[in-house]
Amino acid sequence: VTAAFATDSGLGVAIGLLGLVAFLVLVAAHARVLSAEDLAWRFWRVNENAAQRARDEWQSLPEDGAQFADPEHPNSGDLDVFGPRSLFQFINVAHTSYGQARLAGYLSTNDPLDVIVERQRAVRELSGQLELRHELEAYTLRSANPPGQRAARSHAALDLGPLIGWAESEPAFLSQPALVWAARALPLLTLAGFLASKLLGQSALLWALPLLAQLGVSLRSGQEAARVFNAVSASPGAFARLRPTLRLIEGAPVEAPLLVRLGQVLGQ
């Protein structure tokens, strides 16, 4: 076998490429398995939270809205609206900072009658769509937190603020097309120069110069790239979960005006 590889380099290259393809296929399959496992644990967590409410054990649910407590509010403190053993802790199924803030607003303000009636109509419609509600809650969980797994950071609501701020901001390099095209072309030139140097005996400058140019581009764009990375990494996994969440909301068969408007806003 060793002699065959030594005399037939094409066979070695072919087997190497085949092994690379097989490795990439296995990596993709493994990623799908991990994603399916994570989603299964998310649904388990949603059902377990609901079971805790049914067993009158909801006081142990981690998100109690204590951050929304306002000692100056005329009645939220007296009525235990926020904090341990509160109304918020009992009914909350929102797991993003925006959703929890909206629920806190509903519980803290006196809305006009027509707004309340419209909201009640939306609630009545959603009350019969158990699977839809469970899917939405499962996707927005920060962590499924299965039994035996450390619950680090899972008690904090998913904060999409940095991610949304980056998504809505003006692209920093939109006014620098030369830098963008250099970032696209230089890696290819470096690879082509390296192959020409090794296979055709050309000068190493063919890949060294583009490599140095890449370092320059990296230094030029490093600060902005770090800002974007920090914004995206502040919400780990949010991209993967936002897509099915938004698709689910956009495609939900709803009739209540409040829900219809929400779907229209997301579809714009």
Side-chain angles (χ1 to χ4, degrees), residues 91-123:
I91 69 173
N92 172 59
V93 291
H95 302 289
T96 67
S97 58
Y98 289 96
Q100 292 187 7
R102 177 58 60 91
L103 175 59
Y106 289 160
L107 297 176
S108 303
T109 58
N110 297 320
D111 293 312
L113 178 61
D114 58 334
V115 173
I116 295 175
V117 171
E118 184 181 52
R119 195 179 300 152
Q120 288 175 339
R121 181 177 176 182
V123 170

mmCIF file of all heavy atoms in Angstrom, residues 91-123:
data_model
loop_
_atom_site.group_PDB
_atom_site.id
_atom_site.type_symbol
_atom_site.label_atom_id
_atom_site.label_comp_id
_atom_site.label_asym_id
_atom_site.label_seq_id
_atom_site.Cartn_x
_atom_site.Cartn_y
_atom_site.Cartn_z
ATOM 1 N N ILE A 91 -47.076 33.977 35.291
ATOM 2 C CA ILE A 91 -47.611 33.968 33.919
ATOM 3 C C ILE A 91 -46.545 34.151 32.851
ATOM 4 O O ILE A 91 -46.815 33.913 31.666
ATOM 5 C CB ILE A 91 -48.691 35.051 33.749
ATOM 6 C CG1 ILE A 91 -48.065 36.452 33.813
ATOM 7 C CG2 ILE A 91 -49.792 34.900 34.780
ATOM 8 C CD1 ILE A 91 -49.041 37.562 33.490
ATOM 9 N N ASN A 92 -45.340 34.542 33.222
ATOM 10 C CA ASN A 92 -44.342 34.885 32.213
ATOM 11 C C ASN A 92 -43.859 33.668 31.432
ATOM 12 O O ASN A 92 -43.396 32.679 32.010
ATOM 13 C CB ASN A 92 -43.134 35.549 32.881
ATOM 14 C CG ASN A 92 -41.990 35.751 31.906
ATOM 15 O OD1 ASN A 92 -42.142 36.425 30.895
ATOM 16 N ND2 ASN A 92 -40.849 35.149 32.203
ATOM 17 N N VAL A 93 -43.974 33.733 30.116
ATOM 18 C CA VAL A 93 -43.363 32.737 29.226
ATOM 19 C C VAL A 93 -42.487 33.434 28.191
ATOM 20 O O VAL A 93 -42.124 32.840 27.163
ATOM 21 C CB VAL A 93 -44.433 31.874 28.526
ATOM 22 C CG1 VAL A 93 -45.130 30.970 29.515
ATOM 23 C CG2 VAL A 93 -45.442 32.737 27.765
ATOM 24 N N ALA A 94 -42.165 34.706 28.447
ATOM 25 C CA ALA A 94 -41.265 35.452 27.569
ATOM 26 C C ALA A 94 -39.839 35.247 28.050
ATOM 27 O O ALA A 94 -39.570 35.343 29.244
ATOM 28 C CB ALA A 94 -41.619 36.939 27.584
ATOM 29 N N HIS A 95 -38.930 34.992 27.109
ATOM 30 C CA HIS A 95 -37.546 34.704 27.489
ATOM 31 C C HIS A 95 -36.551 35.619 26.789
ATOM 32 O O HIS A 95 -35.351 35.309 26.739
ATOM 33 C CB HIS A 95 -37.226 33.242 27.187
ATOM 34 C CG HIS A 95 -38.128 32.281 27.893
ATOM 35 N ND1 HIS A 95 -38.074 32.061 29.251
ATOM 36 C CD2 HIS A 95 -39.143 31.507 27.425
ATOM 37 C CE1 HIS A 95 -38.998 31.183 29.589
ATOM 38 N NE2 HIS A 95 -39.658 30.835 28.512
ATOM 39 N N THR A 96 -37.040 36.726 26.241
ATOM 40 C CA THR A 96 -36.145 37.749 25.717
ATOM 41 C C THR A 96 -36.353 39.010 26.535
ATOM 42 O O THR A 96 -37.413 39.212 27.142
ATOM 43 C CB THR A 96 -36.431 38.061 24.229
ATOM 44 O OG1 THR A 96 -37.724 38.675 24.112
ATOM 45 C CG2 THR A 96 -36.386 36.791 23.387
ATOM 46 N N SER A 97 -35.363 39.873 26.552
ATOM 47 C CA SER A 97 -35.482 41.106 27.329
ATOM 48 C C SER A 97 -36.628 41.962 26.812
ATOM 49 O O SER A 97 -37.332 42.621 27.597
ATOM 50 C CB SER A 97 -34.156 41.879 27.272
ATOM 51 O OG SER A 97 -33.797 42.170 25.923
ATOM 52 N N TYR A 98 -36.843 41.956 25.492
ATOM 53 C CA TYR A 98 -37.922 42.755 24.910
ATOM 54 C C TYR A 98 -39.291 42.209 25.326
ATOM 55 O O TYR A 98 -40.197 42.963 25.680
ATOM 56 C CB TYR A 98 -37.813 42.775 23.389
ATOM 57 C CG TYR A 98 -36.652 43.591 22.871
ATOM 58 C CD1 TYR A 98 -35.442 42.985 22.557
ATOM 59 C CD2 TYR A 98 -36.760 44.965 22.707
ATOM 60 C CE1 TYR A 98 -34.371 43.734 22.094
ATOM 61 C CE2 TYR A 98 -35.698 45.717 22.236
ATOM 62 C CZ TYR A 98 -34.504 45.095 21.937
ATOM 63 O OH TYR A 98 -33.443 45.837 21.495
ATOM 64 N N GLY A 99 -39.441 40.902 25.258
ATOM 65 C CA GLY A 99 -40.715 40.299 25.622
ATOM 66 C C GLY A 99 -41.048 40.506 27.081
ATOM 67 O O GLY A 99 -42.201 40.815 27.433
ATOM 68 N N GLN A 100 -40.072 40.360 27.943
ATOM 69 C CA GLN A 100 -40.322 40.553 29.369
ATOM 70 C C GLN A 100 -40.624 42.015 29.682
ATOM 71 O O GLN A 100 -41.475 42.311 30.530
ATOM 72 C CB GLN A 100 -39.133 40.044 30.175
ATOM 73 C CG GLN A 100 -38.963 38.538 30.103
ATOM 74 C CD GLN A 100 -37.889 38.015 31.046
ATOM 75 O OE1 GLN A 100 -37.344 38.761 31.852
ATOM 76 N NE2 GLN A 100 -37.588 36.732 30.939
ATOM 77 N N ALA A 101 -39.938 42.931 29.009
ATOM 78 C CA ALA A 101 -40.217 44.348 29.230
ATOM 79 C C ALA A 101 -41.631 44.700 28.769
ATOM 80 O O ALA A 101 -42.323 45.497 29.420
ATOM 81 C CB ALA A 101 -39.187 45.206 28.499
ATOM 82 N N ARG A 102 -42.075 44.096 27.668
ATOM 83 C CA ARG A 102 -43.431 44.361 27.191
ATOM 84 C C ARG A 102 -44.469 43.822 28.167
ATOM 85 O O ARG A 102 -45.469 44.487 28.464
ATOM 86 C CB ARG A 102 -43.613 43.753 25.796
ATOM 87 C CG ARG A 102 -45.029 43.914 25.216
ATOM 88 C CD ARG A 102 -45.430 45.388 25.137
ATOM 89 N NE ARG A 102 -44.524 46.142 24.298
ATOM 90 C CZ ARG A 102 -44.719 46.319 22.984
ATOM 91 N NH1 ARG A 102 -45.767 45.754 22.400
ATOM 92 N NH2 ARG A 102 -43.872 47.040 22.292
ATOM 93 N N LEU A 103 -44.254 42.607 28.670
ATOM 94 C CA LEU A 103 -45.173 42.055 29.653
ATOM 95 C C LEU A 103 -45.197 42.914 30.909
ATOM 96 O O LEU A 103 -46.273 43.183 31.471
ATOM 97 C CB LEU A 103 -44.768 40.627 30.013
ATOM 98 C CG LEU A 103 -45.577 39.948 31.127
ATOM 99 C CD1 LEU A 103 -47.057 39.876 30.751
ATOM 100 C CD2 LEU A 103 -45.031 38.554 31.424
ATOM 101 N N ALA A 104 -44.041 43.370 31.360
ATOM 102 C CA ALA A 104 -43.980 44.242 32.536
ATOM 103 C C ALA A 104 -44.743 45.531 32.293
ATOM 104 O O ALA A 104 -45.417 46.057 33.190
ATOM 105 C CB ALA A 104 -42.527 44.538 32.903
ATOM 106 N N GLY A 105 -44.663 46.042 31.075
ATOM 107 C CA GLY A 105 -45.415 47.247 30.745
ATOM 108 C C GLY A 105 -46.908 47.022 30.807
ATOM 109 O O GLY A 105 -47.665 47.878 31.292
ATOM 110 N N TYR A 106 -47.363 45.862 30.308
ATOM 111 C CA TYR A 106 -48.789 45.542 30.378
ATOM 112 C C TYR A 106 -49.274 45.481 31.826
ATOM 113 O O TYR A 106 -50.403 45.893 32.137
ATOM 114 C CB TYR A 106 -49.063 44.195 29.712
ATOM 115 C CG TYR A 106 -48.939 44.197 28.212
ATOM 116 C CD1 TYR A 106 -48.752 42.999 27.516
ATOM 117 C CD2 TYR A 106 -48.994 45.370 27.478
ATOM 118 C CE1 TYR A 106 -48.640 42.985 26.135
ATOM 119 C CE2 TYR A 106 -48.865 45.370 26.103
ATOM 120 C CZ TYR A 106 -48.699 44.176 25.432
ATOM 121 O OH TYR A 106 -48.583 44.161 24.076
ATOM 122 N N LEU A 107 -48.424 44.938 32.701
ATOM 123 C CA LEU A 107 -48.822 44.760 34.091
ATOM 124 C C LEU A 107 -48.702 46.050 34.910
ATOM 125 O O LEU A 107 -49.202 46.101 36.039
ATOM 126 C CB LEU A 107 -47.966 43.669 34.744
ATOM 127 C CG LEU A 107 -48.099 42.260 34.155
ATOM 128 C CD1 LEU A 107 -47.120 41.308 34.834
ATOM 129 C CD2 LEU A 107 -49.525 41.745 34.289
ATOM 130 N N SER A 108 -48.044 47.052 34.367
ATOM 131 C CA SER A 108 -47.772 48.267 35.144
ATOM 132 C C SER A 108 -48.585 49.476 34.702
ATOM 133 O O SER A 108 -48.577 50.497 35.395
ATOM 134 C CB SER A 108 -46.278 48.634 35.058
ATOM 135 O OG SER A 108 -45.473 47.569 35.507
ATOM 136 N N THR A 109 -49.260 49.388 33.571
ATOM 137 C CA THR A 109 -49.957 50.561 33.040
ATOM 138 C C THR A 109 -51.453 50.299 32.922
ATOM 139 O O THR A 109 -51.894 49.156 32.808
ATOM 140 C CB THR A 109 -49.408 50.940 31.649
ATOM 141 O OG1 THR A 109 -49.555 49.821 30.761
ATOM 142 C CG2 THR A 109 -47.940 51.317 31.736
ATOM 143 N N ASN A 110 -52.211 51.377 32.941
ATOM 144 C CA ASN A 110 -53.657 51.312 32.748
ATOM 145 C C ASN A 110 -53.965 51.685 31.301
ATOM 146 O O ASN A 110 -54.024 52.874 30.954
ATOM 147 C CB ASN A 110 -54.366 52.271 33.711
ATOM 148 C CG ASN A 110 -54.145 51.890 35.164
ATOM 149 O OD1 ASN A 110 -54.150 50.712 35.510
ATOM 150 N ND2 ASN A 110 -53.934 52.886 36.018
ATOM 151 N N ASP A 111 -54.145 50.697 30.461
ATOM 152 C CA ASP A 111 -54.397 50.936 29.043
ATOM 153 C C ASP A 111 -55.864 51.250 28.809
ATOM 154 O O ASP A 111 -56.744 50.837 29.575
ATOM 155 C CB ASP A 111 -53.981 49.719 28.228
ATOM 156 C CG ASP A 111 -52.478 49.501 28.251
ATOM 157 O OD1 ASP A 111 -51.751 50.476 28.018
ATOM 158 O OD2 ASP A 111 -52.034 48.371 28.517
ATOM 159 N N PRO A 112 -56.174 51.930 27.695
ATOM 160 C CA PRO A 112 -57.571 52.206 27.348
ATOM 161 C C PRO A 112 -58.344 50.904 27.115
ATOM 162 O O PRO A 112 -57.754 49.862 26.793
ATOM 163 C CB PRO A 112 -57.456 53.023 26.064
ATOM 164 C CG PRO A 112 -56.070 53.586 26.074
ATOM 165 C CD PRO A 112 -55.227 52.569 26.783
ATOM 166 N N LEU A 113 -59.652 50.970 27.254
ATOM 167 C CA LEU A 113 -60.489 49.794 27.144
ATOM 168 C C LEU A 113 -60.363 49.130 25.780
ATOM 169 O O LEU A 113 -60.285 47.905 25.678
ATOM 170 C CB LEU A 113 -61.953 50.165 27.407
ATOM 171 C CG LEU A 113 -62.969 49.022 27.269
ATOM 172 C CD1 LEU A 113 -62.654 47.910 28.261
ATOM 173 C CD2 LEU A 113 -64.385 49.549 27.470
ATOM 174 N N ASP A 114 -60.326 49.919 24.706
ATOM 175 C CA ASP A 114 -60.260 49.321 23.376
ATOM 176 C C ASP A 114 -58.952 48.560 23.167
ATOM 177 O O ASP A 114 -58.924 47.522 22.489
ATOM 178 C CB ASP A 114 -60.438 50.393 22.288
ATOM 179 C CG ASP A 114 -59.386 51.492 22.400
ATOM 180 O OD1 ASP A 114 -58.865 51.723 23.516
ATOM 181 O OD2 ASP A 114 -59.079 52.127 21.373
ATOM 182 N N VAL A 115 -57.861 49.035 23.764
ATOM 183 C CA VAL A 115 -56.576 48.335 23.668
ATOM 184 C C VAL A 115 -56.651 47.013 24.422
ATOM 185 O O VAL A 115 -56.165 45.976 23.947
ATOM 186 C CB VAL A 115 -55.442 49.218 24.228
ATOM 187 C CG1 VAL A 115 -54.135 48.435 24.279
ATOM 188 C CG2 VAL A 115 -55.275 50.465 23.380
ATOM 189 N N ILE A 116 -57.265 47.033 25.591
ATOM 190 C CA ILE A 116 -57.388 45.813 26.387
ATOM 191 C C ILE A 116 -58.257 44.788 25.662
ATOM 192 O O ILE A 116 -57.919 43.594 25.608
ATOM 193 C CB ILE A 116 -57.980 46.140 27.773
ATOM 194 C CG1 ILE A 116 -57.011 47.033 28.547
ATOM 195 C CG2 ILE A 116 -58.269 44.865 28.551
ATOM 196 C CD1 ILE A 116 -57.560 47.515 29.879
ATOM 197 N N VAL A 117 -59.351 45.236 25.073
ATOM 198 C CA VAL A 117 -60.253 44.327 24.351
ATOM 199 C C VAL A 117 -59.536 43.702 23.160
ATOM 200 O O VAL A 117 -59.654 42.494 22.898
ATOM 201 C CB VAL A 117 -61.519 45.075 23.904
ATOM 202 C CG1 VAL A 117 -62.354 44.212 22.957
ATOM 203 C CG2 VAL A 117 -62.350 45.473 25.113
ATOM 204 N N GLU A 118 -58.770 44.503 22.429
ATOM 205 C CA GLU A 118 -58.020 43.981 21.280
ATOM 206 C C GLU A 118 -56.991 42.950 21.731
ATOM 207 O O GLU A 118 -56.812 41.907 21.089
ATOM 208 C CB GLU A 118 -57.338 45.133 20.552
ATOM 209 C CG GLU A 118 -56.611 44.703 19.279
ATOM 210 C CD GLU A 118 -55.932 45.867 18.595
ATOM 211 O OE1 GLU A 118 -55.159 46.587 19.280
ATOM 212 O OE2 GLU A 118 -56.147 46.053 17.387
ATOM 213 N N ARG A 119 -56.338 43.219 22.849
ATOM 214 C CA ARG A 119 -55.343 42.285 23.374
ATOM 215 C C ARG A 119 -56.002 40.988 23.827
ATOM 216 O O ARG A 119 -55.478 39.892 23.622
ATOM 217 C CB ARG A 119 -54.589 42.948 24.526
ATOM 218 C CG ARG A 119 -53.299 42.251 24.929
ATOM 219 C CD ARG A 119 -52.655 43.023 26.060
ATOM 220 N NE ARG A 119 -52.343 44.377 25.647
ATOM 221 C CZ ARG A 119 -52.275 45.421 26.468
ATOM 222 N NH1 ARG A 119 -52.524 45.268 27.760
ATOM 223 N NH2 ARG A 119 -51.968 46.615 26.012
ATOM 224 N N GLN A 120 -57.173 41.104 24.455
ATOM 225 C CA GLN A 120 -57.889 39.917 24.900
ATOM 226 C C GLN A 120 -58.310 39.050 23.716
ATOM 227 O O GLN A 120 -58.289 37.816 23.798
ATOM 228 C CB GLN A 120 -59.114 40.320 25.723
ATOM 229 C CG GLN A 120 -58.780 40.861 27.102
ATOM 230 C CD GLN A 120 -60.001 41.349 27.840
ATOM 231 O OE1 GLN A 120 -61.027 41.651 27.238
ATOM 232 N NE2 GLN A 120 -59.891 41.434 29.165
ATOM 233 N N ARG A 121 -58.682 39.670 22.622
ATOM 234 C CA ARG A 121 -59.053 38.901 21.429
ATOM 235 C C ARG A 121 -57.855 38.108 20.912
ATOM 236 O O ARG A 121 -57.987 36.941 20.521
ATOM 237 C CB ARG A 121 -59.574 39.833 20.336
ATOM 238 C CG ARG A 121 -60.002 39.109 19.070
ATOM 239 C CD ARG A 121 -60.569 40.049 18.040
ATOM 240 N NE ARG A 121 -60.890 39.352 16.803
ATOM 241 C CZ ARG A 121 -61.360 39.946 15.727
ATOM 242 N NH1 ARG A 121 -61.586 41.259 15.720
ATOM 243 N NH2 ARG A 121 -61.615 39.241 14.633
ATOM 244 N N ALA A 122 -56.685 38.726 20.918
ATOM 245 C CA ALA A 122 -55.468 38.023 20.493
ATOM 246 C C ALA A 122 -55.157 36.865 21.426
ATOM 247 O O ALA A 122 -54.771 35.777 20.991
ATOM 248 C CB ALA A 122 -54.297 38.997 20.424
ATOM 249 N N VAL A 123 -55.344 37.085 22.728
ATOM 250 C CA VAL A 123 -55.075 36.030 23.705
ATOM 251 C C VAL A 123 -56.023 34.858 23.510
ATOM 252 O O VAL A 123 -55.616 33.686 23.561
ATOM 253 C CB VAL A 123 -55.185 36.594 25.138
ATOM 254 C CG1 VAL A 123 -55.158 35.461 26.162
ATOM 255 C CG2 VAL A 123 -54.046 37.575 25.403
#
